[in-house]
Amino acid sequence: MQIIVCLKQVPNTNEVKFDTKTGTLVRDGVVSIINPDDKNALEEAIRLKELKGGTVTVISMGPPQAEYALREALAMGADEAILLSDWAFAGADTWATSLTLAHAIKKIGRYDLIFCGRQAIDGDTAQVGPELAEHLDLPQVTYVKKIIYIDNDKAVVERALEDGYEVIEVTLPAVLTAVKELNIPRYPTTSGIMDAFNVKKVSVWGIAQLASAAGLVGLNASPTQVKRTFSPAVKGDGELLTGSVKETVQTLLKELQEKHVL
Amino acid sequence: MDFALSPKHEMMKAMFREFAEKEVAPLAAELDEKSEFSWDLYRKMGQIGMFGLPYPQEYGGAGADYLTFVLACEEIGRACTSSAMLINGQNSINSGPIYRQGTEEQKRKYLVPIITGKALGAFCLTEADAGTDASNQQTTAVPDGSEWVIDGTKMFITNAGLADIYIIMAMTGTGNNPKGISAFIVEKDAPGLSFGKKENKMGVRASQTAEVILQDCRIPKENLLGKEGEGFKIAMQNLDSGRIGVGAISLGIAQAALDESTKYAKERQQFGRPIGANQAIQWMIADMATELEAARYLVYRAAWLRDQKKAHSKEASMAKLFASELAMRASVKAVQIHGGYGYMKEYKVERLMRDAKVCEIFEGTSEVQRMVISRAALT
Ligand SMILES: Cc1cc2nc3c(=O)[nH]c(=O)nc-3n(C[C@H](O)[C@H](O)[C@H](O)COP(=O)(O)OP(=O)(O)OC[C@H]3O[C@@H](n4cnc5c(N)ncnc54)[C@H](O)[C@@H]3O)c2cc1C
Ligand SMILES: Cc1cc2nc3c(=O)[nH]c(=O)nc-3n(C[C@H](O)[C@H](O)[C@H](O)COP(=O)(O)OP(=O)(O)OC[C@H]3O[C@@H](n4cnc5c(N)ncnc54)[C@H](O)[C@@H]3O)c2cc1C
């Protein structure tokens, strides 16, 4: 089974700090990690490989230091790594990002399964996975929390919903996006880390290697216009209802009705 | 000159830290309280490859180096000294003698299981009357046909009773002569091998310490390690890596003491402001932070020298001496900064202070380190 995992290197913080003047991310001094959901995607891919054989290829678009996110993936057990890094790719929105990834995946050629994380903890849009499926004209299942069955032609998966889950059968190749409930990612072994640097390699593709994507990547090919970036105002304190259970429930129901929640 | 860790070492360190925070730290207080060795942690560390860091991959090691070993001891030591001792022991004194002096067969049979986490090791030098004066060995080994017969009692042995493989020092020559000492490999089920009661210790309580008793203990001839008469040399050579390891564990303890202190100094309010607003507290923290940096580079450099295959006995002693005494000082200060709360078991600093003490004692007391260092300085 040929599996491709898209992973993004992100700053290790849930609270992305903005420079309010420039409207950009303050990345200084923040340690970079593999986006958490992408680690679940990678773990599942490695488990499938261990079960079914095949290869896991990891691919990331980002600055040169994203190499280390890919090396960590190699240390965990991925076989091949491709870094999409070029000034031409810079400033991409989700559309341009997913299109660049799609061109790279087409160039790789062979795949049964493409895994993304549900969402990146910095960009936070959860758009890249679904867009990628559209660009590649593949079926997609988002929020995958369990793979129940898989062979070379189809997969049966559980798709997480807010209050339950759906069981979905999908033909392969397909794009799946992973949520953290899918598994607990392994620690890379120490010899895995050594091999990730000394034996395995990270190929770097720039626009020259992705000629098919010329003119379709980076800031100029990004339809999104960012008007302003800001931290939303902090929500006010909640209201605490006191009294007997009966009283508080009645007050609550009344207030919810007044606010047209019920 | 370059003080930065390589990306490879950074990745190792990040992994050790994550493992320490997620797997080790949540268990540390309870293991200490119950004085319990965690087989589960031992297995997990073995699977990740934390026991064979400086050894080649052909023996199941990581193919990394002593700097990586230091990072592992330091990061795990931040969470739990006992668990860090396991990493130190398996990577150094429990395995080094077999790696360096063992035959190919001994390496396959004993080294591979130890460094892949399938067998726990122990290193048995100390006796009731052979502590600092380690060459005063009373344990004897006498050849008898195809066997060695070993008699004696080893004291304060880490992992005694739990370990599968014991490296034992015993006299094969005569008199109080280091050249009369030889090293042997004894398996747990060897006839005549038994264990004394588990010691009830001040600190590192999740590391088991007990006597190893050899009474007419018979082992095959081929379990002699190295040549006859080389035992003391083997012990001393491998203590250098163990000392670097204890230095690194001490860094972990001191770092934890500093982390807890800065956190508490910002949180705890007295006289209407955080205690950290007082210069008395600030100065304690400044000293801890400064000395920790100094200790860290002594330890890292000793490991680096070893990796470069350069002489490093003196530097290993300096690193061990300075870092362990710092761990003690810093943990005492950390308890002081916590006031009465620091004296209670609910706070980590209480355990840090008990754990720190042993780092000044085992693998050569501070006095022994000063002897090594002054000997080098005076010649
Ligand atoms: C502060 C800030 C400013 C931004 N400014 C702009 C801007 O000016 N103009 C603009 O157009 N966009 C901007 N973006 C959006 C940015 O381009 C997106 O972060 C990027 O396109 C990916 O989207 P996402 O992070 O929401 O990922 P998601 O869609 O949330 O990611 C889902 C999954 O897709 C995969 N994935 C996502 N990105 C990559 C990647 N690079 N390589 C490999 N796999 C990947 C991963 O598997 C990931 O889990 C900004 C984002 C931030 C946080
Ligand atoms: C928790 C723990 C685990 C241990 N694990 C092991 C193990 O796995 N294997 C093993 O072999 N040993 C182990 N030991 C033993 C340890 O190495 C010894 O305790 C240590 O070497 C000191 O020996 P001693 O206890 O006999 O002290 P002593 O040698 O009696 O020393 C008492 C004091 O006198 C000082 N002193 C002695 N001689 C001199 C001198 N010439 N000049 C100045 N001062 C001197 C010492 O520094 C010390 O302060 C362990 C000990 C502990 C506490």
Side-chain angles (χ1 to χ4, degrees):
Chain A
M1 187 165 254
Q2 309 295 317
I3 310 173
I4 294 172
V5 181
C6 298
L7 55 88
K8 185 180 182 188
Q9 191 184 44
V10 295
N12 184 13
T13 169
N14 289 316
E15 295 161 45
V16 177
K17 290 194 188 88
F18 290 109
D19 182 329
T20 42
K21 283 196 199 103
T22 61
T24 54
L25 266 175
V26 184
R27 282 177 184 262
D28 282 359
V30 184
V31 181
S32 292
I33 56 168
I34 296 179
N35 180 50
D37 288 342
D38 306 3
K39 249 193 179 174
N40 296 104
L42 174 61
E43 173 65 31
E44 203 64 20
I46 297 169
R47 286 187 195 185
L48 287 175
K49 177 187 80 163
E50 286 168 351
L51 219 64
K52 308 262 171 191
T55 59
V56 174
T57 303
V58 284
I59 163 171
S60 185
M61 184 176 97
Q65 62 266 30
E67 172 194 335
Y68 298 115
L70 291 171
R71 295 237 183 248
E72 190 180 343
L74 292 172
M76 283 172 69
D79 303 282
E80 279 159 40
I82 299 163
L83 173 63
L84 307 176
S85 197
D86 195 309
W87 277 109
F89 303 147
D93 66 1
T94 64
W95 172 267
T97 301
S98 56
L99 198 56
T100 312
L101 291 171
H103 279 270
I105 289 169
K106 277 188 197 147
K107 183 173 161 144
I108 295 169
R110 290 182 58 205
Y111 48 82
D112 301 300
L113 202 58
I114 298 166
F115 250 123
C116 286
R118 175 189 62 130
Q119 191 162 346
I121 56 171
D122 56 349
D124 233 8
T125 66
Q127 291 173 1
V128 170
E131 289 173 355
L132 184 61
E134 291 303 313
H135 294 312
L136 294 169
D137 201 17
L138 293 178
Q140 58 174 290
V141 184
T142 51
Y143 313 146
V144 172
K145 76 182 196 57
K146 188 174 180 181
I147 295 183
I148 302 171
Y149 174 84
I150 191 160
D151 62 25
N152 285 334
D153 304 316
K154 68 167 194 203
V156 183
V157 304
E158 284 180 11
R159 176 174 188 265
L161 302 173
E162 239 164 66
D163 50 359
Y165 62 88
E166 294 172 345
V167 175
I168 293 181
E169 184 177 313
V170 60
T171 55
L172 300 188
V175 175
L176 308 184
T177 79
V179 293
K180 71 169 187 296
E181 291 75 15
L182 184 58
N183 51 44
I184 299 171
R186 70 194 60 195
Y187 293 93
T189 64
T190 56
S191 54
I193 293 175
M194 294 306 289
D195 289 349
F197 283 89
N198 299 345
V199 181
K200 295 178 177 177
K201 72 179 218 297
V202 173
S203 311
V204 182
W205 291 0
I207 193 66
Q209 284 76 23
L210 273 193
S212 65
L216 305 171
V217 299
L219 186 61
N220 293 337
S222 294
T224 312
Q225 301 282 323
V226 178
K227 285 187 82 174
R228 185 164 76 96
T229 37
F230 60 97
S231 301
V234 182
K235 281 188 194 150
D237 287 340
E239 190 182 330
L240 194 67
L241 302 178
T242 50
S244 72
V245 175
K246 202 168 173 192
E247 281 164 23
T248 51
V249 170
Q250 271 166 354
T251 323
L252 178 67
L253 286 175
K254 201 165 129 251
E255 290 203 16
L256 289 176
Q257 267 158 359
E258 278 168 9
K259 296 198 163 132
H260 305 291
V261 177
L262 293 180
Chain B
M1 203 167 202
D2 185 357
F3 285 98
L5 291 177
S6 71
K8 194 164 34 183
H9 288 110
E10 287 285 5
M11 194 175 290
M12 292 278 190
K13 181 174 152 168
M15 186 272 281
F16 297 140
R17 177 166 298 184
E18 190 183 345
F19 183 85
E21 285 171 359
K22 287 199 183 143
E23 315 290 333
V24 185
L27 306 179
E30 193 187 334
L31 293 175
D32 169 71
E33 182 70 22
K34 291 188 181 159
S35 189
E36 186 182 301
F37 179 85
S38 170
W39 287 105
D40 190 42
L41 277 182
Y42 161 71
R43 265 187 293 272
K44 283 185 183 161
M45 291 187 208
Q47 275 160 8
I48 293 173
M50 294 197 192
F51 296 152
L53 297 168
Y55 302 119
Q57 292 190 351
E58 57 168 312
Y59 294 113
D65 51 18
Y66 282 93
L67 184 55
T68 306
F69 160 68
V70 157
L71 296 171
C73 290
E74 178 181 358
E75 291 301 331
I76 306 300
R78 249 175 108 177
C80 171
T81 315
S82 301
S83 302
M85 276 172 66
L86 194 55
I87 293 180
N88 184 25
Q90 292 289 86
N91 278 288
S92 64
I93 50 178
N94 299 348
S95 54
I98 309 175
Y99 176 64
R100 269 173 218 95
Q101 277 85 17
T103 61
E104 190 57 30
E105 271 149 281
Q106 287 171 335
K107 286 183 203 173
R108 294 281 158 212
K109 192 165 175 197
Y110 301 113
L111 180 70
V112 172
I114 286 176
I115 67 184
T116 53
K118 297 193 177 69
L120 185 56
F123 178 82
C124 315
L125 175 66
T126 305
E127 299 179 0
D129 294 320
T132 301
D133 187 8
S135 64
N136 185 33
Q137 296 280 312
Q138 303 303 312
T139 300
T140 56
V142 180
D144 180 18
S146 64
E147 294 176 325
W148 287 96
V149 184
I150 310 182
D151 280 281
T153 299
K154 297 289 174 179
M155 276 201 67
F156 298 152
I157 302 306
T158 301
N159 299 339
L162 306 173
D164 306 285
I165 297 162
Y166 297 81
I167 296 174
I168 303 228
M169 300 298 153
M171 298 297 292
T172 47
T174 47
N176 180 3
N177 175 358
K179 295 218 171 75
I181 301 171
S182 303
F184 299 90
I185 302 172
V186 179
E187 293 181 31
K188 187 178 190 180
D189 54 8
L193 180 68
S194 64
F195 307 99
K197 74 162 185 18
K198 179 172 137 185
E199 301 289 352
N200 186 7
K201 300 196 296 296
M202 173 196 285
V204 293
R205 293 170 56 79
S207 172
Q208 178 158 312
T209 316
E211 276 178 353
V212 172
I213 303 162
L214 304 116
Q215 272 175 315
D216 196 25
C217 176
R218 291 178 172 268
I219 58 164
K221 256 287 158 63
E222 65 265 22
N223 279 23
L224 173 72
L225 186 53
K227 296 201 185 67
E228 243 183 277
E230 278 188 353
F232 199 68
K233 196 181 89 192
I234 292 175
M236 292 305 125
Q237 270 177 1
N238 287 288
L239 276 176
D240 281 344
S241 58
R243 284 171 184 169
I244 295 172
V246 174
I249 295 171
S250 304
L251 296 179
I253 296 173
Q255 182 69 57
L258 177 62
D259 294 344
E260 295 298 313
S261 297
T262 49
K263 193 170 76 178
Y264 194 76
K266 285 192 251 177
E267 275 167 20
R268 174 68 175 167
Q269 300 266 336
Q270 287 290 282
F271 299 98
R273 57 184 197 160
I275 57 167
N278 299 296
Q279 203 176 54
I281 304 286
Q282 291 164 0
W283 285 23
M284 280 198 261
I285 286 173
D287 286 347
M288 273 193 223
T290 307
E291 291 173 31
L292 179 56
E293 282 300 287
R296 181 165 284 133
Y297 290 109
L298 278 179
V299 175
Y300 286 16
R301 181 162 174 275
W304 178 83
L305 284 170
R306 192 174 172 92
D307 287 330
Q308 303 299 311
K309 307 218 168 10
K310 295 194 161 98
H312 61 279
S313 283
K314 181 185 71 180
E315 288 78 5
S317 283
M318 287 175 164
K320 198 260 186 194
L321 173 67
F322 189 77
S324 63
E325 294 197 349
L326 164 64
M328 194 70 243
R329 272 197 307 281
S331 60
V332 169
K333 280 184 185 138
V335 170
Q336 193 64 22
I337 289 169
H338 281 68
Y341 297 91
Y343 201 66
M344 305 300 155
K345 286 199 185 287
E346 282 94 285
Y347 285 81
K348 184 175 175 182
V349 292
E350 183 270 345
R351 172 163 49 90
L352 293 177
M353 186 173 145
R354 285 184 289 108
D355 282 356
K357 186 65 212 173
V358 82
C359 296
E360 297 178 319
I361 296 173
F362 58 20
E363 310 235 16
T365 60
S366 288
E367 291 70 31
V368 168
Q369 310 308 333
R370 287 190 167 87
M371 278 155 59
V372 174
I373 297 162
S374 59
R375 211 179 290 141
L378 289 167
T379 50

